[in-house]
Amino acid sequence: MGLPRHIAIIMDGNGRWAAARGLARHAGHKAGLEAVRRCVEHCSQRGIEALTLFAFSSENWQRPGAEVARLMGLFVSALDREVDRLDASGVRLRFIGARARLSARLKSRIAAAEQRTAANRGLALQVAVSYGGRWDIVEGVRRLAGECAAGRLEPRAITEQHVAGALELAGLPDPDLFIRTGGERRISNFLLWNLAYTELYFSDRYWPDFDAASLDEALAFYGERERRFGRVA
Ligand code: IPE
Ligand code: IPE
Ligand code: MG
C-alpha cells in the first residue's frame, strides 16, 4: 500500500503513563508534548502529507477544572516554544475544533501560528482542540442549512462533496491511517465523517512512549493492508 497520505492520531494514555511513574497527570501531558514533537518530525521526514492530532475533545471539558486549566496552559506554552521550529521545517499548522470555547490568550496564539505558517508547503498539521466529530458535523449542517435558507443551495442538490466541504478537514484527503495509543479501542468522537474508510491501528503503548519505531510499526501495518473500498480484490 505504500505510505499513508494522511494520518490521524488519538494521543491517549498520558495520565496512565504518569500514574505508572507516581507522577501527577500533568507530567504525562508534558511528556506527551515531547512525543508530539518527535511524531511531527518523523512524519515530516517520511514525507507524510497530513497529520491530524487529537489533543482535547469536546468531552474533555468535563475533566476537573485544574486539569483543563493546565492543559490549556500547556497548549499556550507549546505554541510559544514550537512555532519557530515548525515554521522553519515548512509545517502548515492549523487548529480544528470549537474555538469560541478557548481563552482569548490561546485563541490569539492559534491565530498567529496559523497565519505565520499558512503559506508553508510541508506537512499539513491539524491539531484538534475542543473538537468532537459530532460537533463538526453539526457545524457543517448549520452552514449548509444557512446556504439553503439563503437560496444559494437546493436541499436536493446536496452531495457528499458539499458535506465534506463544510467540515473542518475540508480540502484534505480523508485519513488513510488512524492510530490510537493507550490501549482503548474506540473512536471517542474523533473524525466521524472522515474515518469512514480509514485503516484502524491500535497500540497498547501510552502516548508519551510512542516513538519513531512505534510509528514505523504502524506504517508497516498500513503497508500490509489491502484497501478495497467495497470492491473485490
Ligand atoms: C490523552 O491522555 C490526552 C487528553 C485527553 C488530553 P489522557 O489524559 O486521556 O490519559 P489517560 O487516558 O487518562 O491515561
Ligand atoms: C480521547 O481520549 C481524546 C484525546 C486523546 C484528546 P479520552 O481519554 O478523552 O477518551 P475516552 O474518555 O477514554 O474515550
Ligand atoms: Mg484517555
Side-chain angles (χ1 to χ4, degrees), residues 44-151:
S44 290
Q45 276 166 13
R46 295 292 305 258
I48 304 294
E49 285 175 47
L51 174 66
T52 300
L53 300 175
F54 205 4
F56 189 89
S57 73
S58 312
E59 290 72 30
N60 290 150
W61 289 111
Q62 300 167 73
R63 293 189 178 196
E67 178 170 350
V68 171
R70 294 202 76 168
L71 273 166
M72 294 298 148
L74 190 63
F75 297 147
V76 170
S77 62
L79 283 168
D80 287 343
R81 276 185 292 122
E82 303 293 334
V83 172
D84 281 348
R85 191 188 341 229
L86 291 172
D87 189 34
S89 50
V91 171
R92 186 191 61 187
L93 177 62
R94 284 187 306 195
F95 280 72
I96 61 172
R99 212 168 283 205
R101 296 186 72 174
L102 306 180
S103 70
R105 203 161 67 113
L106 181 52
K107 276 188 286 202
S108 75
R109 296 312 200 282
I110 287 174
E114 288 181 334
Q115 228 166 42
R116 177 146 167 224
T117 62
N120 288 345
R121 287 292 164 261
L123 178 72
L125 174 61
Q126 291 65 238
V127 180
V129 172
S130 189
Y131 177 87
R134 288 182 172 178
W135 167 87
D136 195 358
I137 291 170
V138 168
E139 288 296 302
V141 166
R142 281 205 185 125
R143 215 163 300 152
L144 292 177
E147 292 292 298
C148 290

Side-chain angles (χ1 to χ4, degrees), residues 10-16 25 60 63 180 184 186:
I10 299 187
M11 310 182 290
D12 196 24
N14 293 347
R16 281 164 286 160
R25 292 180 57 82
N60 290 150
R63 293 189 178 196
R180 182 173 188 144
E184 305 295 353
R186 54 179 174 249

Side-chain angles (χ1 to χ4, degrees), residues 3 56 67 81 104 110 182 192 202 216 231:
L3 278 179
F56 189 89
E67 178 170 350
R81 276 185 292 122
I110 287 174
L192 296 179
F202 298 94
D216 282 337
R231 302 184 194 99

